[in-house]
Amino acid sequence: MLCGTIWKVGGKDHRRVIHAIKVGLSLTLVTMLHMLEPFFEVFGPNAMWIVMTVVLELQFTAGETSFKCLNMGVGTVLAGSLALFVDFIATKSRKMFQAMFFGTTVFLIGAAAAYLRFFPCVKNNYDSGIVIFLSTFTLIIASGYKENNVIKIVRDQFYFIAIGCATCLFMGILVFPVWSGEFLQNSIIDKLEGLAKSIQASVDEHFHDSSEIKENQEKRSLEDPIMAILDSKSNEGTLAFYARLEPRHSRLCNRFSWRQHMKLGDVLRQLGYTVVALRCCLQTEIQAPRSVRALFKDPCIRLSGEVTKVLMELANNIRNRRYCSPRILCDHLHEAVQDLDSVIKSLPRLFLDSNSNQATNMLAAARQTKPNAKHRRSRSAPEVIESVLRPELSETTITNPEFSEALSFASFAFLLVEIAGRLNNVIKEFEELGRIVCY
Amino acid sequence: MLCGTIWKVGGKDHRRVIHAIKVGLSLTLVTMLHMLEPFFEVFGPNAMWIVMTVVLELQFTAGETSFKCLNMGVGTVLAGSLALFVDFIATKSRKMFQAMFFGTTVFLIGAAAAYLRFFPCVKNNYDSGIVIFLSTFTLIIASGYKENNVIKIVRDQFYFIAIGCATCLFMGILVFPVWSGEFLQNSIIDKLEGLAKSIQASVDEHFHDSSEIKENQEKRSLEDPIMAILDSKSNEGTLAFYARLEPRHSRLCNRFSWRQHMKLGDVLRQLGYTVVALRCCLQTEIQAPRSVRALFKDPCIRLSGEVTKVLMELANNIRNRRYCSPRILCDHLHEAVQDLDSVIKSLPRLFLDSNSNQATNMLAAARQTKPNAKHRRSRSAPEVIESVLRPELSETTITNPEFSEALSFASFAFLLVEIAGRLNNVIKEFEELGRIVCY
């Protein structure tokens, strides 16, 4: 089982194996450097900071590695400068006073840095920088007190960080680099496909047996792509944050435009909320009778099929960096929406009739036709309704008690149309993306 | 402005200031220890690991601090043992072979550790442990090669980590401790209140002017508590993870039951999705005419008021650790649901009538009564409907084209009833929580 997991993690993305080899290689390089006689003689055991730098900074994507290097560099420079300044002030005083002064400084700087970590923007982006700043500052102050040679310590520290960062940047950006922007793009593709699957599954489920629904619900809650889509905001934000540091993005034609991908992600999340709302209709206690559902089966399934097709097409286009006119994409979509809309408009008549004449009314007809439903599949729902709602029906207007039951279906249909509407926003953002990244 | 932000961060939770002081104090303590003559003579400059430990491990909550200490402890023990073993194998060989052997080992261990970080469970929980393991292992191997005294290095490293961990645990658990479990509980309370506000705002907005809606939408998308609620899963998971390590939880009466809080959080997130669906109905292009909305205003507002009241009451009960019978909570809720349900049932008749007799039909009546709406406020919606739907109305059955417009309202009402239904699950989990934490 462990072997299976190990294999699966690597199989999902073979670049992970390459990254592991890169880390191993970098660590070996800096360890070997540390083992060299002349190097050890000049820098002593503190050179372990190089190893620390590599372990902390060499991340999977080029953007994250660059950002961590920047963080570490700025943290070290700030800590070094501050330590030099503090040492300069205390340098002419007695040893006892010096120790007290250093202690107070460490206390103040430590407390300020810890407080700074509560700021949301600092916490999210610069936490590792603060950690490096604090440890470097304390190290220089304490070692400087013992060895009376702060300038050498600060200079050495700069060298260590510079060597560590250079190794990381070389390995991260030049040797088989992995781009955050690409991950961001893949996350959008996954989202498009996940939404397509989820919409398809919801509609299929709605027109299935209720006993199956219960089973499916339990299964679904465990492995639902929709929940992952809704939870994706912070992950996407991080990827976009790193993507903006990646060198590919300075080209005229921005291959992975993080800004536009983020926008597309937001629109997709909005669509995702509507899909969750659609699921609400499946999980509610009040369910429309199967007979009613059967009548609307065809236009609903057709619409969901069209929506799914468009989403999958968009995913494929982004993956293959291909542009596709929205007119071709939405060709049949509008027809399907119109279709469902016209069926929805006949809904009040349906409920009106259901109580008027039990022998000929629509629901009864639907119930009677249920066993033959399979043979009728090719017939569209409007046709069925047309044939049932014959003009010779007598009409009375007693309010139908089944109406509240059908409300869940009305919501379902409404949300399906709403999803089709929101798809327009997605297509709009896709077009903009195509323009920016020059498909 | 900066001063304002600094003040706000501390004002939000004064324990943040205490934490900053604790970090400053701990750092000063370990720096002073490092400065002591006898200590420095025994341990040398490597004692900086103590400072590193404090910087990395002393976190805001007791649970997180304990977990990081555990991580660091296990990482160091593993790295030390492995380094001793590797050194034992290479000890009798020549220096050149030794260097090559060490290099290969560092490469293999480094690559394996980097690969291990791709496992989701490792990445989420044990990342800091891996970092410590890797740097400690490389440090011992490299220093051991130079100084030929691996056992002393390993022993020193253990001492450093032990002193660092002891300081952190003392400060984290014994000096003004902050509990993750408490944060988890507060996050649930915030969620309850956020949901209440969000439902109230949605319903208020639905019955407002459409021009105002546009404005509100823009404002809302920026500062919506509902989005924070939906995004809360990973944050809550982390809090629960740390909460299980906190000593308070071994009592018979689990003061902050992380498991039950997580369950309550899940149910609230489910409720949150329905609220988002409710918002979908506000943002859709097809809006029910104001006249129709006005008719349903009172029962909708009443139901949302009851839901809000129950949610706020639950939040207060959890905050004050008080138990409240669900029967008292839901006293008026069921009435309000019944009320709305009966109004919903009259919906088909409404649309039927609207086309039958323009002079007397319901919509027209509603439109006419609109200017007087303020004077009629005290009259409940069912009364209005009753008065409009007089039995002497003539009836015809032409399908109403306005029906699709009203569908958005039907969805709105349906989702409102659905929210009331889901509130039952919340109350159920609250009862279970009350039982576990002994309110």
Side-chain angles (χ1 to χ4, degrees):
Chain A
M1 205 195 119
L2 185 69
C3 284
T5 315
I6 292 172
W7 189 255
K8 220 173 82 185
V9 167
K12 221 171 160 186
D13 189 347
H14 68 278
R15 291 172 300 184
R16 291 175 172 179
V17 181
I18 296 177
H19 172 72
I21 294 172
K22 273 158 67 177
V23 172
L25 216 60
S26 314
L27 274 180
T28 313
L29 269 177
V30 292
T31 312
M32 287 305 198
L33 185 72
H34 189 60
M35 284 176 180
L36 284 179
E37 203 63 47
F39 188 86
F40 192 80
E41 266 166 25
V42 176
F43 294 112
N46 266 342
M48 280 317 297
W49 271 90
I50 306 178
V51 174
M52 202 72 183
T53 311
V54 171
V55 171
L56 284 175
E57 287 180 18
L58 188 52
Q59 302 290 332
F60 191 33
T61 66
E64 194 170 356
T65 306
S66 317
F67 183 69
K68 293 245 159 150
C69 285
L70 198 74
N71 242 326
M72 206 159 201
V74 173
T76 307
V77 169
L78 280 182
S81 320
L82 197 64
L84 278 177
F85 178 71
V86 168
D87 186 69
F88 176 75
I89 293 176
T91 199
K92 272 161 200 148
S93 45
R94 276 179 305 152
K95 210 73 181 168
M96 191 58 211
F97 171 79
Q98 225 181 33
M100 275 172 64
F101 180 69
F102 283 161
T104 316
T105 318
V106 168
F107 172 77
L108 289 177
I109 298 286
Y115 192 70
L116 210 62
R117 287 172 88 180
F118 286 116
F119 288 62
C121 64
V122 176
K123 178 84 199 160
N124 293 338
N125 303 327
Y126 309 105
D127 207 51
S128 62
I130 299 254
V131 168
I132 291 300
F133 167 80
L134 215 51
S135 18
T136 309
F137 177 76
T138 324
L139 164 91
I140 296 173
I141 288 288
S143 307
Y145 177 80
K146 295 313 300 178
E147 295 169 24
N148 279 323
N149 198 357
V150 175
I151 294 175
K152 184 187 177 299
I153 297 170
V154 171
R155 204 192 49 210
D156 283 0
Q157 200 69 19
F158 285 169
Y159 286 148
F160 300 153
I161 301 292
I163 294 171
C165 284
T167 314
C168 290
L169 287 176
F170 174 77
M171 283 291 182
I173 299 178
L174 298 179
V175 183
F176 296 108
V178 177
W179 307 105
S180 290
E182 208 179 325
F183 274 99
L184 187 59
Q185 180 180 294
N186 289 346
S187 129
I188 298 291
I189 294 172
D190 287 348
K191 242 177 178 171
L192 282 163
E193 290 177 342
L195 279 171
K197 274 178 209 154
S198 200
I199 293 169
Q200 190 70 60
S202 300
V203 173
D204 285 353
E205 209 168 276
H206 195 254
F207 297 105
H208 265 140
D209 239 337
S210 54
S211 62
E212 281 175 44
I213 292 178
K214 273 260 162 295
E215 249 175 58
N216 285 346
Q217 268 176 20
E218 277 160 27
K219 221 170 70 188
R220 203 183 49 212
S221 62
L222 286 175
E223 40 165 0
D224 199 344
I226 195 79
M227 292 306 151
I229 290 167
L230 299 183
D231 286 341
S232 64
K233 194 175 171 70
S234 66
N235 184 35
E236 241 166 50
T238 315
L239 285 176
F241 186 85
Y242 295 137
R244 75 180 77 176
L245 286 168
E246 289 175 356
R248 288 198 179 193
H249 296 264
S250 52
R251 286 191 201 167
L252 184 69
C253 199
N254 215 337
R255 237 196 120 181
F256 304 115
S257 159
W258 61 268
R259 210 185 294 271
Q260 191 56 29
H261 278 107
M262 282 288 276
K263 271 189 200 163
L264 196 53
D266 279 339
V267 182
L268 285 175
R269 218 169 295 117
Q270 288 295 329
L271 187 63
Y273 291 133
T274 323
V275 176
V276 171
L278 196 73
R279 305 225 136 176
C280 283
C281 299
L282 299 182
Q283 290 166 350
T284 173
E285 296 293 308
I286 317 160
Q287 283 291 344
R290 282 194 65 189
S291 49
V292 175
R293 276 187 270 160
L295 283 169
F296 295 91
K297 190 176 176 179
D298 284 351
C300 281
I301 287 188
R302 189 177 161 205
L303 181 56
S304 77
E306 289 298 331
V307 169
T308 308
K309 216 176 75 188
V310 172
L311 285 172
M312 289 306 243
E313 190 62 29
L314 286 179
N316 277 330
N317 284 341
I318 294 180
R319 187 182 286 117
N320 304 325
R321 313 186 70 74
R322 204 172 54 200
Y323 183 72
C324 181
S325 159
R327 209 171 292 168
I328 298 169
L329 282 174
C330 304
D331 205 14
H332 301 285
L333 186 68
H334 292 306
E335 269 175 45
V337 172
Q338 288 289 330
D339 227 35
L340 183 60
D341 197 49
S342 62
V343 177
I344 285 171
K345 275 182 184 152
S346 65
L347 204 61
R349 211 195 300 193
L350 169 71
F351 288 100
L352 185 77
D353 296 336
S354 70
N355 278 17
S356 62
N357 190 336
Q358 280 296 329
T360 51
N361 77 34
M362 193 174 175
L363 287 179
R367 272 184 208 111
Q368 281 157 12
T369 57
K370 217 175 66 187
N372 301 325
K374 276 179 191 164
H375 307 288
R376 280 177 176 255
R377 272 231 165 138
S378 58
R379 225 169 145 195
S380 78
E383 273 175 47
V384 176
I385 292 167
E386 214 58 51
S387 71
V388 176
L389 287 175
R390 274 162 304 183
E392 66 266 24
L393 285 177
S394 73
E395 283 120 4
T396 58
T397 53
I398 308 153
T399 319
N400 188 345
E402 282 178 26
F403 186 78
S404 64
E405 278 183 3
L407 212 54
S408 91
F409 175 76
S411 300
F412 185 83
F414 165 73
L415 288 168
L416 212 53
V417 175
E418 182 67 22
I419 284 174
R422 291 198 175 209
L423 196 56
N424 274 331
N425 297 340
V426 177
I427 292 171
K428 228 180 275 169
E429 295 296 341
F430 166 75
E431 270 190 286
E432 181 69 13
L433 179 72
R435 204 182 54 72
I436 293 174
V437 302
C438 318
Y439 285 164
Chain B
M1 205 195 119
L2 184 70
C3 284
T5 316
I6 293 172
W7 190 254
K8 221 173 81 186
V9 167
K12 222 170 159 187
D13 189 347
H14 69 277
R15 289 173 301 183
R16 290 175 173 179
V17 181
I18 297 176
H19 172 72
I21 295 172
K22 273 159 66 177
V23 171
L25 215 61
S26 313
L27 274 180
T28 314
L29 269 177
V30 292
T31 312
M32 288 304 200
L33 185 72
H34 189 60
M35 286 175 179
L36 284 179
E37 204 62 49
F39 188 85
F40 191 80
E41 267 165 27
V42 175
F43 292 112
N46 266 342
M48 280 317 297
W49 272 90
I50 305 177
V51 175
M52 202 71 183
T53 311
V54 171
V55 172
L56 285 174
E57 287 180 17
L58 188 51
Q59 302 289 332
F60 191 33
T61 65
E64 194 170 355
T65 305
S66 317
F67 183 69
K68 294 244 158 151
C69 285
L70 201 72
N71 243 324
M72 206 160 200
V74 172
T76 306
V77 169
L78 279 182
S81 321
L82 197 63
L84 278 177
F85 177 69
V86 169
D87 186 70
F88 175 75
I89 291 176
T91 200
K92 271 161 202 146
S93 44
R94 276 179 305 152
K95 209 71 180 171
M96 192 55 212
F97 172 78
Q98 224 180 33
M100 276 172 64
F101 180 70
F102 283 161
T104 316
T105 318
V106 168
F107 172 76
L108 289 177
I109 297 286
Y115 192 71
L116 210 63
R117 286 172 88 179
F118 286 116
F119 288 64
C121 64
V122 175
K123 178 83 197 161
N124 293 339
N125 303 326
Y126 307 106
D127 207 51
S128 62
I130 298 258
V131 167
I132 292 301
F133 167 80
L134 215 50
S135 19
T136 310
F137 177 75
T138 324
L139 164 91
I140 296 172
I141 288 287
S143 308
Y145 176 80
K146 296 310 302 176
E147 295 170 25
N148 280 323
N149 198 356
V150 177
I151 294 174
K152 184 187 177 299
I153 298 170
V154 172
R155 204 192 50 209
D156 283 1
Q157 200 68 18
F158 285 168
Y159 285 147
F160 300 152
I161 300 291
I163 295 170
C165 284
T167 314
C168 290
L169 287 176
F170 174 77
M171 283 290 182
I173 299 178
L174 299 179
V175 182
F176 297 108
V178 177
W179 307 104
S180 290
E182 209 179 326
F183 274 98
L184 187 60
Q185 181 180 293
N186 289 344
S187 129
I188 298 290
I189 293 171
D190 288 348
K191 242 178 179 171
L192 283 164
E193 290 177 343
L195 279 171
K197 274 178 208 154
S198 200
I199 292 169
Q200 189 70 60
S202 300
V203 173
D204 285 352
E205 208 169 277
H206 195 254
F207 296 105
H208 265 140
D209 239 334
S210 54
S211 62
E212 280 174 49
I213 290 179
K214 274 264 160 192
E215 248 175 59
N216 285 346
Q217 268 177 19
E218 278 160 26
K219 220 171 71 187
R220 201 183 52 212
S221 62
L222 286 174
E223 40 165 1
D224 199 345
I226 194 80
M227 293 305 150
I229 290 167
L230 299 183
D231 286 341
S232 62
K233 193 173 172 72
S234 65
N235 183 35
E236 239 166 50
T238 315
L239 285 176
F241 186 85
Y242 294 138
R244 75 180 76 175
L245 286 168
E246 289 176 355
R248 287 198 180 193
H249 296 263
S250 52
R251 285 190 200 165
L252 183 69
C253 198
N254 215 337
R255 236 197 120 184
F256 303 114
S257 159
W258 60 269
R259 209 185 294 270
Q260 191 56 30
H261 277 107
M262 282 289 277
K263 270 190 200 165
L264 196 52
D266 279 340
V267 181
L268 285 175
R269 219 168 294 118
Q270 289 294 328
L271 188 63
Y273 291 132
T274 322
V275 176
V276 172
L278 197 72
R279 303 224 134 175
C280 282
C281 300
L282 298 183
Q283 290 165 350
T284 174
E285 297 294 309
I286 317 160
Q287 284 290 346
R290 283 195 64 190
S291 49
V292 174
R293 277 187 269 160
L295 284 169
F296 295 91
K297 190 176 175 178
D298 283 352
C300 280
I301 287 188
R302 189 177 161 206
L303 180 55
S304 77
E306 289 299 331
V307 170
T308 308
K309 215 177 76 187
V310 172
L311 285 171
M312 290 304 244
E313 190 62 30
L314 286 178
N316 277 330
N317 283 342
I318 294 179
R319 187 182 285 118
N320 304 324
R321 314 187 68 74
R322 206 172 53 199
Y323 182 73
C324 181
S325 160
R327 209 171 293 169
I328 298 168
L329 282 173
C330 304
D331 205 12
H332 300 284
L333 185 68
H334 292 305
E335 269 176 45
V337 173
Q338 288 289 331
D339 226 35
L340 182 61
D341 197 49
S342 63
V343 177
I344 285 172
K345 276 181 184 154
S346 66
L347 204 59
R349 211 195 301 196
L350 168 69
F351 288 98
L352 185 75
D353 296 336
S354 70
N355 278 15
S356 64
N357 191 335
Q358 280 297 328
T360 50
N361 79 35
M362 192 177 175
L363 287 180
R367 274 186 205 110
Q368 280 158 13
T369 57
K370 219 174 69 187
N372 302 323
K374 276 177 191 165
H375 307 287
R376 279 176 176 256
R377 274 235 165 133
S378 58
R379 224 169 145 197
S380 79
E383 271 175 50
V384 176
I385 292 167
E386 216 57 53
S387 72
V388 177
L389 289 176
R390 274 161 305 182
E392 64 266 26
L393 283 178
S394 74
E395 282 120 5
T396 58
T397 53
I398 307 152
T399 320
N400 188 347
E402 282 178 27
F403 187 77
S404 63
E405 278 183 3
L407 212 55
S408 91
F409 175 76
S411 300
F412 185 83
F414 165 73
L415 287 168
L416 211 54
V417 174
E418 182 66 23
I419 285 174
R422 292 198 175 206
L423 195 57
N424 273 332
N425 295 341
V426 177
I427 292 171
K428 227 180 275 170
E429 294 296 341
F430 166 74
E431 270 191 286
E432 181 67 15
L433 179 72
R435 203 182 53 74
I436 292 173
V437 302
C438 317
Y439 285 163

